[in-house]
Amino acid sequence: GLPIHLHTHDTTGNQVAALLMAAEAANELNDLPYAKEQLRKVRFRAFKSNEAVDKYLEGIGSKDAMFKAIYRERMLEFSCEQIRKQDLIRWGIYYDRVMETAQELVDWYSNANYAVARYIIKGRHELLPIPQRDLDMMPKCKQNSGWGQ
């Protein structure tokens, strides 16, 4: 893989995003060691402890475990960036996660009202509509499912 270095003086979100993308891509290509190497850089930046990071990484022994670690790390690193929905869509779990969250809220408080769960349509909200102007310029292109045409 391409070397990605995290300099201790540069802790921008963009660099963290690149490292997590590299870890995710490596994991999808079944390169767990490289994925761990990239995740290590992100975790070390946060914890500044080789021992804590090594212990955490030792618990990641499979592709599924790495995905869960990346899933959680992106949630923590980018909680205020408003990109979580796109992550969930990209991973193909947006609808299911919204429904799980709605159920968790009802389990916690029976009168919970998670409006997103009432309006989401499976198969529609996983993609955005293609702008009509773009469809007009590319007549062979078809509108995404659930958005007309």
Side-chain angles (χ1 to χ4, degrees):
L2 296 173
I4 298 177
H5 304 286
L6 181 66
H7 303 287
T8 55
H9 65 279
D10 186 2
T11 56
T12 65
N14 288 339
Q15 197 166 31
V16 171
L19 291 168
L20 290 173
M21 283 188 272
E24 187 175 340
N27 193 49
E28 286 300 311
L29 295 171
N30 296 311
D31 188 351
L32 190 59
Y34 188 77
K36 281 186 174 185
E37 182 183 327
Q38 303 317 306
L39 185 57
R40 173 179 232 304
K41 295 171 187 174
V42 175
R43 297 291 292 186
F44 184 79
R45 177 185 124 311
F47 293 96
K48 303 284 190 244
S49 166
N50 285 320
E51 185 179 332
V53 174
D54 289 343
K55 184 175 180 179
Y56 177 77
L57 292 175
E58 285 171 12
I60 300 172
S62 68
K63 182 176 182 175
D64 186 55
M66 177 55 78
F67 172 77
K68 289 176 182 172
I70 293 167
Y71 174 95
R72 184 172 189 276
E73 202 66 37
R74 288 189 65 85
M75 178 186 70
L76 296 171
E77 287 286 345
F78 307 117
S79 62
C80 297
E81 303 290 327
Q82 299 184 11
I83 60 172
R84 187 67 172 168
K85 179 181 177 184
Q86 293 306 315
D87 282 345
L88 298 175
I89 289 171
R90 181 166 44 84
W91 295 325
I93 59 176
Y94 175 65
Y95 179 84
D96 293 336
R97 191 63 196 123
V98 167
M99 292 303 154
E100 288 169 14
T101 300
Q103 188 58 53
E104 289 169 6
L105 288 169
V106 168
D107 292 347
W108 177 66
Y109 178 65
S110 62
N111 290 329
N113 181 14
Y114 189 49
V116 174
R118 288 198 326 260
Y119 298 105
I120 188 174
I121 299 169
K122 187 174 182 107
R124 178 179 184 185
H125 292 107
E126 288 85 356
L127 296 172
L128 296 172
I130 300 171
Q132 187 60 50
R133 176 184 61 87
D134 295 350
L135 290 171
D136 292 343
M137 289 189 302
M138 301 176 290
K140 291 184 179 181
C141 187
K142 301 295 180 208
Q143 183 58 269
N144 284 326
S145 176
W147 293 100
Q149 285 189 357

